[in-house]
Amino acid sequence: MTNHAEEISQLSLSLLHTLRDMARNDPAEAALYFGVGDDVVEAIAECGPAELQALARPGLMLFAPRIKASQIRNLCQSKGSSAERRRTAAMALVK
């Protein structure tokens, strides 16, 4: 596996563990934060470490950004402090 594929697999595994933990504690919050349906939340909640590892193994990013390219460009080109840019980006996501 290339270094990038390994990094993506590790990131996916970390996200899957977080999703599973959230799914077990607060399924509605897990669905909201990860942008997945209730069926995915229920399925992930039942997974053990080996199943999560198998899901993360292909080296494909399992989760995708939910921000539009125009929002990214606006954030990168905006003036002001980094805190102001983060706040602007967060507000753009809510709209």
Side-chain angles (χ1 to χ4, degrees):
M1 215 177 344
T2 68
N3 191 35
H4 290 298
E6 188 174 317
E7 290 174 8
I8 290 171
S9 289
Q10 287 300 314
L11 178 58
S12 291
L13 183 60
S14 178
L15 289 169
L16 286 166
H17 276 283
T18 302
L19 172 56
R20 184 193 61 189
D21 293 345
M22 289 178 73
R24 290 177 175 176
N25 293 316
D26 189 344
E29 183 179 51
L32 176 67
Y33 272 82
F34 283 88
V36 297
D38 294 338
D39 55 338
V40 172
V41 171
E42 290 173 16
I44 293 292
E46 297 173 6
C47 287
E51 290 86 8
L52 296 182
Q53 183 72 45
L55 287 170
R57 192 167 287 142
L60 300 174
M61 188 66 188
L62 296 178
F63 300 95
R66 292 185 284 171
I67 187 171
K68 296 176 183 175
S70 61
Q71 293 168 316
I72 294 171
R73 285 186 198 98
N74 287 341
L75 175 64
C76 292
Q77 295 170 353
S78 67
K79 305 289 188 235
S81 70
S82 60
E84 290 170 345
R85 289 194 305 257
R86 285 193 304 272
R87 190 171 31 257
T88 300
M91 293 307 295
L93 287 173
V94 176
K95 292 180 183 178

